[in-house]
Amino acid sequence: MCVRLAEDEASEGLAWESVPLEMLYAAEPWRIFRWYMGQRHYSGSYWSSTQADHVIYESRLELARLWYADFDRDVTAIVAQPFLLRAEVDGALRRHIPDYLMATSAGPLVVDVKPRHRVEKPEHAFTFAWTREAVESRGWRYEVWSEPPEAEVANVRFLAGYRRDWLFEPELTEEMGDEAVDEEPPPERLFDPVIVNEVRDRVVDGDTLEEAFACLPGRPAPLVRAAVLHLLWKQQWLTDLSVPLSARSVLRTAS
């Protein structure tokens, strides 16, 4: 069994068992997504707060998996289409490019994303089976990911709108301001790092979202809401995401 990285002829034929993990984490995607009239898949790039960079996806389901990975505090790196795995299985040469490789606190995780109705198709089930065997032979984890619960993914997608740390960090916003001295004045800020700190100190375990949004009556309500939702994205508080977020959602301090 061997592996090859995209646009890297030197990696051709590397033994899967010995290819350095650092090389895989630095890999470029195998495919470049394209837009064309009538295409069946929705492709694009997602700005990941985990990577502080864009990560590509080739379907809305892959985009959903990126939201979840970005929201997961145990995930520290995300690589799209990291390698081509080749193996002889049942007397034939098989090839497969997994969708994602993720660095996690529990070790590497290789992910394939496929709609639930297609997972059990023989050709896909066969590919996933030998890929799982290859991945787990290195002591890594392998996952075939399908559609998540509707309410949960809607909540994660909504919170992802507040994921960008650089909008909330004082040092970063100051640096951006210094670089723009000779440019047009920036538009009114939608986020305020000072308010984030005030909200963090004011909201307590057991508060509802409604109470959290009203915790600083002297501050602009939109900035307070943005701060609350950013901290919820950062999982400094937890709430039940299996039901739609509402004013009655209860916040719990993360342990």
Side-chain angles (χ1 to χ4, degrees):
M1 186 174 298
C2 61
V3 67
R4 180 182 174 182
L5 308 188
E7 299 182 358
D8 185 358
E9 294 184 1
S11 69
E12 177 74 37
L14 283 177
W16 167 244
E17 295 79 7
S18 60
V19 62
L21 183 56
E22 294 75 14
M23 180 182 292
L24 298 180
Y25 283 147
E28 295 293 327
W30 257 88
R31 292 185 293 270
I32 298 175
F33 67 84
R34 294 177 174 83
W35 291 97
Y36 58 88
M37 184 69 69
Q39 73 178 39
R40 299 177 61 185
H41 300 290
Y42 182 96
S43 303
S45 60
Y46 167 80
W47 190 89
S48 164
S49 59
T50 301
Q51 287 292 105
D53 201 354
H54 287 87
V55 181
I56 68 168
Y57 57 88
E58 292 189 315
S59 69
R60 294 302 293 265
L61 191 58
E62 287 187 13
L63 174 57
R65 186 62 184 91
L66 289 178
W67 290 328
Y68 275 74
D70 218 17
F71 188 56
D72 190 341
R73 298 302 96 188
D74 290 331
V75 174
T76 57
I78 307 168
V79 185
Q81 301 174 14
F83 53 80
L84 169 66
L85 190 63
R86 298 191 303 177
E88 185 174 321
V89 183
D90 293 345
L93 181 63
R94 313 289 179 175
R95 304 169 184 264
H96 181 56
I97 302 170
D99 292 315
Y100 297 105
L101 169 65
M102 301 178 187
T104 79
S105 59
L109 170 65
V110 176
V111 179
D112 274 312
V113 177
K114 191 69 66 175
R116 190 168 290 108
H117 72 277
R118 297 178 61 190
V119 168
E120 299 302 326
K121 289 189 175 183
E123 63 271 25
H124 298 312
F126 179 79
T127 297
F128 295 151
W130 69 260
T131 301
R132 178 182 299 278
E133 183 177 351
V135 170
E136 293 181 350
S137 71
R138 296 194 64 168
W140 301 355
R141 292 179 298 142
Y142 178 69
E143 167 187 283
V144 178
W145 198 83
S146 299
E147 294 86 349
E150 289 186 10
E152 184 180 82
V153 70
N155 289 331
V156 174
R157 177 179 59 199
F158 172 71
L159 292 176
Y162 300 87
R163 68 188 181 276
R164 296 171 175 83
D165 287 329
W166 58 269
L167 290 173
F168 293 89
E169 296 296 332
E171 296 81 3
L172 296 179
T173 52
E174 288 171 5
E175 288 176 8
M176 291 175 64
D178 292 342
E179 293 173 359
V181 170
D182 297 327
E183 300 176 4
E184 291 293 323
E188 184 177 354
R189 186 165 56 190
L190 298 178
F191 308 101
D192 189 325
V194 174
I195 292 179
V196 172
N197 290 329
E198 292 178 350
V199 167
R200 185 184 289 112
D201 294 337
R202 189 66 62 88
V203 176
V204 298
D205 187 89
D207 279 353
T208 64
L209 264 184
E210 183 177 33
E211 291 169 330
F213 289 161
C215 72
L216 297 174
R219 294 290 198 176
L223 299 185
V224 176
R225 286 196 298 271
V228 170
L229 295 170
H230 176 64
L231 293 173
L232 193 54
W233 166 265
K234 298 288 288 184
Q235 297 186 53
Q236 297 197 12
W237 305 308
L238 305 177
T239 194
D240 184 4
L241 297 180
S242 67
V243 296
L245 286 171
S246 72
R248 296 184 298 277
S249 296
V250 177
L251 304 179
R252 298 296 182 190
T253 303
S255 57

